Amino acid sequence: MMPARTLAWMLLAAPLLVAASEDVKLDRMPADVRPNDLVSLQRGAQVFANYCLGCHGASYMRYNRLQDLGLSEQQIRDNLILTGAKVGDLMKTGMDSRDSREWFGAPPPDLTVIARSRASGAGSGADWLYSYLRSFYRDPSRPTGWNNTVFPNVGMPHVLWQLQGEQVLKTEVQVIPVGSKGDVEKREVQKLVLGKPGAMKLAEYDRTVADLVNYLSYMSEPARSFRVQLGIYVLLFLGVLLVLAYLIKNEYWKDIH
């Protein structure tokens, strides 16, 4: 059971996190990444297992649920389980919470429903994650050497930096015309620039992040596709039932009307 102190902290912090997210302009998740794209979900699951599961857990998700993505137990065991866990086990991290608190200042959050919890007025949880994972930059003042424009002063290092490369935050001065008398306004704008390229090209990295976010969205509600499909069938059934009920009503009341 979750400790009362932890639950109280989450309830108090949630409005602040949502407010902070709404202050940031989020990039939209690519429209061509579909929730039912099994290839994208499989790639995302692989990235999650290799780069995320070492620190973050998904303690409400079991490995064998990945069979819904078209993977066999043997494929899951060979490619996605990097510890001694069994296929039927929960996807827990091997990191000790005391160590993570010492290294990062706080234990890394569980990612089972992160895609739902990050939704706000600024965009969906998928939009937030897609923007966040592409917004790390080098910051020597931070303990990890990394910072993030979507989540300033985040304690998490950039685990995908070898793929993306190293970005730097630069300040540019924009000159904006004001009025019709030739007046101008100077405004400082911060912009991320790739300082050192990584193993992937920009478009390739963005696609990898989109696949990862697609998997995180799936993990937050694995039954979503089935729920939507079932809802369509139920509505069709109710529509047919409505027609039959109307015909029966007319048959019963035809002598009166």
Side-chain angles (χ1 to χ4, degrees), residues 7-21 117-120:
L7 179 60
W9 183 90
M10 291 175 63
L11 293 174
L12 290 172
L16 299 177
L17 293 174
V18 171
S21 298
S117 66
R118 283 297 180 181
S120 69

Side-chain angles (χ1 to χ4, degrees), residues 134-188:
R134 296 162 54 250
S135 299
F136 279 93
Y137 64 93
R138 275 295 184 187
D139 185 353
S141 66
R142 298 295 302 157
T144 63
W146 296 97
N147 210 330
N148 194 287
T149 57
V150 173
F151 194 152
N153 299 326
V154 65
M156 172 181 163
H158 187 17
V159 295
L160 301 176
W161 72 271
Q162 291 177 312
L163 304 181
Q164 183 187 26
E166 299 182 18
Q167 295 188 123
V168 294
L169 187 64
K170 291 190 175 182
T171 302
E172 298 180 350
V173 178
Q174 291 184 347
V175 179
I176 303 173
V178 178
S180 58
K181 297 182 180 181
D183 296 334
V184 297
E185 176 184 349
K186 293 184 178 181
R187 183 179 303 172
E188 290 187 350

Side-chain angles (χ1 to χ4, degrees), residues 58-73:
S59 55
Y60 298 96
M61 179 78 173
R62 295 187 185 276
Y63 285 102
N64 58 8
R65 190 64 194 255
L66 299 179
Q67 294 179 84
D68 295 347
L69 306 183
L71 299 173
S72 65
E73 284 193 8

Side-chain angles (χ1 to χ4, degrees), residues 61-116:
M61 179 78 173
R62 295 187 185 276
Y63 285 102
N64 58 8
R65 190 64 194 255
L66 299 179
Q67 294 179 84
D68 295 347
L69 306 183
L71 299 173
S72 65
E73 284 193 8
Q74 191 62 43
Q75 288 175 319
I76 295 172
R77 190 178 296 109
D78 292 343
N79 301 293
L80 300 177
I81 299 180
L82 307 179
T83 63
K86 298 180 180 179
V87 175
D89 289 346
L90 295 169
M91 303 177 74
K92 295 183 178 181
T93 179
M95 179 182 290
D96 187 89
S97 60
R98 291 171 296 182
D99 292 337
S100 61
R101 185 176 287 106
E102 180 181 352
W103 296 336
F104 305 117
D110 188 275
L111 298 183
T112 311
V113 294
I114 189 67
R116 299 179 68 178

Side-chain angles (χ1 to χ4, degrees), residues 231-251:
I232 294 174
Y233 291 150
V234 169
L235 290 175
L236 291 174
F237 171 77
L238 292 176
V240 173
L241 186 63
L242 177 64
V243 174
L244 293 176
Y246 178 75
L247 294 176
I248 292 175
K249 174 258 182 187
N250 287 342
E251 183 66 23

